[in-house]
Amino acid sequence: MAGASGATGHVMIERGEGAAVKYEVVAEAYRDLERVSGRLALIERLAQLLAATPDGLLATVCYLCQGLIAPEFAGVDLGLAEKLAVRALATAAGTGAEDAAASVREAGDLGQAGEQLLAAAAADRPASLPVAVVVDTLHQIAAAAGQGSQGRKLGLLAGLLGQATPLEARYLLRLVTGNLRLGIGTPTILDSLAQVHAGGRADRPVLERAYNICCDLGKVAAALAAGGLAAVEELRVQPGNPVRAMLAQRLSEPAEILAKLGGRCAAEYKYDGVRVQAHKTADGQIELYTRRLERVSSQFPDVVEALAAGLGPAEAILEGEVVAYDAAAGELHPFGEVMFRRRKHGISEAMADVPVGLFCFELLYADGADLTRLPYPRRRAALAAAVTVSPQLRLTTATEAGTPAALETAFEQAVTDGCEGLVCKSVGPAAVYQAGARGWLWIKLKRDYRTELSDTADLVVVGAFAGRGRRRGVYGALLLAAYDPAADVFRTVTKCGTGFSDAELAALPARLAPLARAVRPARVDARQQPDVWFEPGLVLEILSAELTLSPTYTAAWGQLKDDAGLAMRFPRFTGRYRDDKAPEDATTTGELAGLYRTAQRKPAGS
Ligand code: AMP
């Protein structure tokens, strides 16, 4: 049975059948939590509520404290339109919808208006709604879909409000419209749980780890209530429950990074896209979650398909970065494109406009084995064994580095290849997957090495790479060079496959055929081997986002840095063939070096 509580929040409730606990008890806790100031007071008041909650209802009450009725990742969307909630309120309070709307406007808050209207209509109504009934009805409201669902939602909510006390109505209305905003963080709830069901707040780290590997407060609470801390320690990573992402620290000097990581590390390319965690469950389903626990499989059906084809284990949790990626040209595209893809509605159109690839970097679980406690090299080996790579499904490029110079080179190569920099990862025996932590086992290197270039350059075609997949039979990308007048040599600066229409792509081989050569023409200086070389002849106008230093390209080699040339990132053909220019009229390597130096001197963001 549930008893009344005073403003101090004294709750009288007996442990017993969960079904008997009144929602009023939760509403009173909400009210007190809104009033208290200071984290300790929050923990105390929450602990009171949790202590009064029967074990069978603990998970539900924990969700309610988060302003939820299910774990966040379940995506149960209450989010009722305020208009609909106002109509339900009007029905329950026996007023017209117009009057109810006016009360909301006046109070400036739906919850408060609801409380006032019910205080007028049903001041003496005793608390009768059990928590279990409220939550069950809220689930029905969330689940109602399709034809007539608005009417059903309205009916269900009006039914609840018709039995609610004024205080209950205040919080029910806020909860269903997604406006509960209690301001209690998960760590605070974990503190309260530790205080009530474990040895005190010192035990929070055990609960925290469990939460970090399942993102389900209810699951942690239920395990704790049923089997104490030992049962919580037993919780394991499980497909279907997202794991909170491991994050990276940041340093700008390779030497510092190596010192932190014990002199050696794995240098992985840092791709610029959207991190996803893929869960493959025993039923064969694959679900993708973002770092913020949103389900995004419907936005990336092509990624799901690639995983269905290439992910070996029957059950797995894998992490990677979804990047706008043209597999045919082997080109990475900027972050903005993948975000554009996420915003688009017509998914098949979006898939064609912005092809993506998944660059995998972690395997947390495979066929019954929780890999999070294994050191990184073993996880990486398991990842490589679990994934059959394909054009859309790749592993992140990774090399081992033991000197600052090697790290520097890897960084430049990563940037040249269209990445943001590196994530340097500890390869030591203690390099576990730290769920939810920004620790020193991963360190990102994203130096402001890059400079912006908003101008176009006229570059000379000196080679081409054969297209694959969709671009089979045409060129996937062209190798482009700037002119070095002092040496009368064309030095490479980028590879570009973007900005060409299908018709232009189809016409290029014939257009370039007279210039094609089997071996590198004498005036071309390059460190790559394209599939076909061209005598410098055709000039294209290219727009690029920025210039970077690179060990792959030869423009201005050694002028800005030993053993590095200049590269253009994210080059795009503007559509203009500069037939009016001879190759010797192309942009010079000296001009590019000047642009790079100028951009370097500009303060960031200018
Ligand atoms: P930041 O968001 O700048 O803190 O960088 C960390 C993010 O980089 C991660 O959350 C991933 O989304 C992304 N990332 C890209 N490539 C990798 C990689 N190889 N390993 C880990 N994270 C990566």
Side-chain angles (χ1 to χ4, degrees):
M1 79 110 230
S5 78
T8 56
H10 177 66
V11 182
M12 294 177 296
I13 182 170
E14 288 168 7
R15 281 178 177 248
E17 274 306 294
V21 178
K22 301 285 189 287
Y23 183 65
E24 178 84 358
V25 176
V26 176
E28 283 166 348
Y30 284 163
R31 177 199 58 205
D32 296 343
L33 289 165
E34 277 188 317
R35 286 180 190 162
V36 302
S37 62
R39 187 156 175 278
L40 282 180
L42 276 181
I43 295 171
E44 283 302 324
R45 182 62 186 88
L46 263 177
Q48 254 181 7
L49 173 67
L50 298 179
T53 303
D55 290 353
L57 210 59
L58 195 61
T60 302
V61 169
C62 282
Y63 297 138
L64 288 173
C65 291
Q66 292 182 296
L68 301 167
I69 54 170
E72 200 178 350
F73 67 83
V76 174
D77 184 14
L78 275 171
L80 220 67
E82 180 161 314
K83 255 192 162 151
L84 199 70
V86 171
R87 279 170 58 199
L89 171 61
T91 307
T95 62
E98 270 312 305
D99 290 347
S103 304
V104 175
R105 273 198 301 279
E106 203 176 310
D109 169 60
L110 173 64
Q112 220 176 314
E115 185 172 16
Q116 286 162 5
L117 284 178
L118 280 200
D124 301 329
R125 182 180 287 162
S128 67
L129 278 171
V131 170
V133 169
V134 169
V135 171
D136 186 51
T137 311
L138 293 176
H139 273 289
Q140 290 178 45
I141 291 175
Q147 221 185 0
S149 60
Q150 295 304 302
R152 272 206 308 288
K153 284 177 196 274
L154 191 143
L156 286 162
L157 180 58
L160 272 186
L161 293 172
Q163 301 169 66
T165 64
L167 188 68
E168 289 173 328
R170 184 206 299 187
Y171 294 110
L172 277 174
L173 285 163
R174 288 186 188 162
L175 187 62
V176 291
T177 52
N179 287 316
L180 193 61
R181 287 196 292 265
L182 287 175
I184 330 170
T186 304
T188 303
I189 305 176
L190 290 172
D191 266 333
S192 305
L193 273 172
Q195 190 164 312
V196 176
H197 285 280
R201 284 171 21 220
D203 284 330
R204 189 182 94 190
V206 178
L207 304 186
E208 204 143 45
R209 181 182 195 266
Y211 175 73
N212 287 341
I213 61 167
C214 71
C215 294
D216 185 339
L217 200 55
K219 184 170 173 169
V220 176
L224 185 63
L229 274 186
V232 175
E233 274 169 337
E234 290 279 291
L235 288 177
R236 288 286 173 271
V237 166
Q238 195 185 327
N241 275 93
V243 178
R244 289 189 66 213
M246 176 168 178
L247 300 170
Q249 285 284 1
R250 178 188 189 130
L251 285 174
S252 59
E253 286 307 320
E256 277 182 281
I257 292 178
L258 283 172
K260 275 271 182 205
L261 296 176
R264 280 201 86 68
C265 69
E268 285 198 19
Y269 277 19
K270 185 176 192 302
Y271 297 82
D272 200 2
V274 177
R275 183 175 187 160
V276 296
Q277 198 173 83
H279 286 245
K280 183 175 177 189
T281 39
D283 56 6
Q285 289 291 313
I286 293 174
E287 186 63 75
L288 304 178
Y289 297 94
T290 65
R291 252 166 73 170
R292 299 186 59 199
L293 305 180
E294 298 152 303
R295 292 161 179 255
V296 288
S297 310
S298 59
Q299 289 169 22
F300 299 114
D302 40 357
V303 172
V304 172
E305 204 177 296
L307 281 166
L311 181 56
E315 286 184 86
I317 305 176
L318 170 146
E319 271 190 333
E321 193 87 352
V322 175
V323 191
Y325 173 65
D326 185 342
E331 268 177 26
L332 295 164
H333 291 197
F335 174 69
E337 291 194 20
V338 77
M339 291 315 286
F340 171 79
R341 161 90 178 253
R342 286 197 64 193
R343 284 195 297 271
K344 274 217 132 171
H345 290 304
I347 189 65
S348 37
E349 192 189 323
M351 282 200 308
D353 284 358
V354 186
V356 297
L358 178 66
F359 290 79
C360 307
F361 54 78
E362 271 293 348
L363 188 68
L364 308 184
Y365 183 97
D367 285 341
D370 174 352
L371 309 180
T372 58
R373 294 177 201 247
L374 295 182
Y376 163 85
R378 290 189 58 192
R379 294 199 306 278
R380 178 82 190 186
L383 174 69
V387 169
T388 306
V389 298
S390 63
Q392 250 95 50
L393 189 64
R394 318 298 292 251
L395 298 184
T396 50
T397 299
T399 50
E400 246 192 69
T403 63
L407 211 50
E408 191 102 18
T409 302
F411 172 82
E412 284 161 8
Q413 188 67 57
V415 174
T416 302
D417 289 345
C419 290
E420 275 186 297
L422 298 173
V423 183
C424 304
K425 301 185 176 179
S426 167
V427 290
V432 298
Y433 187 92
Q434 294 178 312
R438 193 181 285 285
W440 288 100
L441 294 175
W442 285 9
I443 304 173
K444 62 190 170 192
L445 180 59
K446 244 174 38 170
R447 225 165 351 168
D448 295 324
Y449 228 41
R450 301 169 289 150
T451 55
E452 287 203 354
L453 183 66
S454 53
D455 216 349
T456 58
D458 298 319
L459 301 179
V460 185
V461 182
V462 296
F465 298 86
R468 293 187 299 272
R470 191 161 61 78
R471 288 199 178 171
R472 189 176 299 279
V474 296
Y475 295 133
L478 300 178
L479 183 61
L480 301 172
Y483 184 55
D484 179 348
D488 186 27
V489 161
F490 295 89
R491 304 194 195 273
T492 57
V493 68
T494 196
K495 216 169 96 176
C496 175
T498 304
F500 299 90
S501 68
D502 286 349
E504 278 163 348
L505 277 179
L508 266 178
R511 185 168 188 145
L512 283 162
L515 302 170
R517 301 288 180 271
V519 293
R520 179 170 53 81
R523 289 202 303 163
V524 173
D525 175 29
R527 290 168 74 88
Q528 287 138 302
Q529 178 71 36
D531 295 304
V532 49
W533 292 101
F534 298 113
E535 195 65 49
L538 182 64
V539 181
L540 307 181
E541 187 185 70
I542 302 292
L543 183 68
S544 157
E546 47 198 351
L547 284 172
T548 64
L549 292 174
S550 155
T552 306
Y553 293 101
T554 57
W557 186 263
Q559 289 178 26
L560 298 153
K561 186 173 177 287
D562 285 344
D563 295 320
L566 271 181
M568 265 184 189
R569 288 186 87 208
F570 307 130
R572 169 179 286 273
F573 176 45
T574 62
R576 288 184 68 191
Y577 289 95
R578 298 303 308 256
D579 291 331
D580 55 331
K581 286 196 167 186
E584 289 79 6
D585 297 326
T587 301
T588 64
T589 53
E591 281 175 72
L592 292 180
L595 279 173
Y596 177 81
R597 287 199 190 92
T598 316
Q600 285 275 289
R601 282 196 294 272
K602 275 199 264 178
S606 70

